[in-house]
């Protein structure tokens, strides 16, 4: 079974540039999560979806970050006008609906903003 | 709001020695607790999970953890460390309302270094 796939694996930007991250969850998983993991810190939830609907985006910096999952499968996280403080690894995860379910993480996209 | 504290940022252990990683949580209600491991340039992998029941849970690769409600703790243990256990370990807590168990709150992580 294929795991959660993310691309690109690495990105280096100058401040002010835009970048998009792509995530392909495990087939059949209807819940998808985006986490931000700054260096030497634990992951922090940014947004999550059930199917195509955003369930919670309260931690997403809405002025520059956006996330979509138009068909309830793949998802894209976009940063407009990146800042040095956005330097982090962005992790995508997925899980099936239901209690006591495991969450599966992708390998992440490591973003460096210079 | 729920939170997790891992008081040890770094732990160095000799190969073959025992390991304990500490985790304290803050949560109003019945917590669901997890330990994840992150190897270099890899995603997070689940070691073990606690759902209400037996306080001692067994995980992969010889890891186990013990839940204590009175101490608000969920410490991870391994009897004999292998060099391949060199990684960062994260403790996490979640609510499990409506099956949304992926909404996790993580601790800061503990870097484990194994020496020979």
């Amino acid at each position: 079974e294929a795991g959660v796939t993310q691309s690109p694996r690495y990105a280096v930007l100058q401040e002010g540039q835009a970048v998009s991250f792509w995530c392909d969850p495990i087939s059949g998983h209807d819940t998808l999560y985006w986490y931000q993991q700054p260096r030497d810190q634990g992951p922090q939830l940014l947004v999550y979806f059930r199917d195509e609907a955003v369930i919670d985006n309260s931690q997403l910096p809405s002025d520059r970050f956006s996330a979509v999952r138009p068909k309830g499968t793949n998802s894209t996280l976009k940063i407009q006008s990146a800042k040095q403080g956005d330097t982090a690894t962005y992790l995508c995860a997925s899980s099936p609906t239901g209690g006591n379910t495991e969450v599966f993480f992708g390998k992440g996209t490591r973003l460096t903003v210079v | 709001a729920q939170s997790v504290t891992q008081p040890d940022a770094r732990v160095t252990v000799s190969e073959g020695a025992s390991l304990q990683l500490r985790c304290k949580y803050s949560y109003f209600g019945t917590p669901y607790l997890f330990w994840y491991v992150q190897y270099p340039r890899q995603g997070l992998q689940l070691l073990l999970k606690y759902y209400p029941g037996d306080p001692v849970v067994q995980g992969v690769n010889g890891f186990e953890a013990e839940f204590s409600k009175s101490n608000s703790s969920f410490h991870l243990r391994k009897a004999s460390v292998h060099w391949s256990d060199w990684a960062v370990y994260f403790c996490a807590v979640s609510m499990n309302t409506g099956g949304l168990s992926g909404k996790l709150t993580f601790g800061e992580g503990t870097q484990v270094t194994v020496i020979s």
Side-chain angles (χ1 to χ4, degrees):
Chain A
E1 177 184 274
V4 177
T5 304
Q6 294 186 244
S7 65
R9 291 294 314 278
Y10 303 93
V12 179
L13 305 176
Q14 293 189 335
E15 277 198 315
Q17 290 185 309
V19 63
S20 292
F21 308 133
W22 179 82
C23 174
D24 185 7
I26 292 173
S27 178
H29 283 191
D30 55 1
T31 308
L32 184 147
Y33 313 82
W34 284 102
Y35 283 82
Q36 181 191 57
Q37 184 179 15
R39 185 177 176 82
D40 296 330
Q41 295 185 34
Q44 300 157 21
L45 183 67
L46 291 174
V47 58
Y48 70 96
F49 300 83
R50 176 176 282 173
D51 298 319
E52 68 277 7
V54 174
I55 304 300
D56 185 352
N57 62 358
S58 59
Q59 302 305 309
L60 196 66
S62 58
D63 57 335
R64 297 183 300 106
F65 285 63
S66 63
V68 295
R69 194 185 185 199
K71 297 183 179 178
T73 52
N74 300 337
S75 177
T76 303
L77 176 69
K78 184 173 184 178
I79 306 176
Q80 300 269 20
S81 188
K83 299 181 178 180
Q84 287 189 359
D86 300 331
T87 294
T89 296
Y90 292 83
L91 298 169
C92 180
S94 70
S95 69
T97 300
N100 301 351
T101 57
E102 181 177 343
V103 177
F104 295 84
F105 285 83
K107 293 183 178 182
T109 297
R110 180 179 291 183
L111 173 67
T112 302
V113 183
V114 298
Chain B
Q2 58 205 49
S3 66
V4 175
T5 302
Q6 294 181 245
D8 304 309
R10 298 182 181 276
V11 170
T12 300
V13 59
S14 298
E15 192 172 12
S18 63
L19 173 69
Q20 175 170 287
L21 302 182
R22 297 183 291 165
C23 172
K24 300 276 284 186
Y25 69 89
S26 174
Y27 180 76
F28 182 77
T30 302
Y32 295 79
L33 295 157
F34 307 82
W35 275 99
Y36 283 85
V37 61
Q38 189 172 40
Y39 300 104
R41 296 175 296 282
Q42 300 293 318
L44 292 162
Q45 299 173 26
L46 182 67
L47 277 179
L48 48 79
K49 58 189 178 186
Y50 168 79
Y51 296 119
D54 190 333
V56 179
V57 292
Q58 303 296 322
V60 298
N61 299 333
F63 285 94
E64 69 173 24
E66 184 167 3
F67 167 73
S68 171
K69 186 173 183 178
S70 60
N71 293 325
S72 297
S73 67
F74 188 56
H75 301 331
L76 181 71
R77 300 188 295 248
K78 186 170 184 179
S80 178
V81 168
H82 187 263
W83 67 267
S84 60
D85 296 322
W86 189 321
V88 181
Y89 294 78
F90 292 95
C91 182
V93 63
S94 83
M95 296 183 291
N96 197 2
T97 302
L100 300 176
S101 59
K103 190 176 179 182
L104 298 164
T105 299
F106 286 87
E108 296 294 299
T110 299
Q111 168 71 60
V112 171
T113 300
V114 181
I115 59 175
S116 57

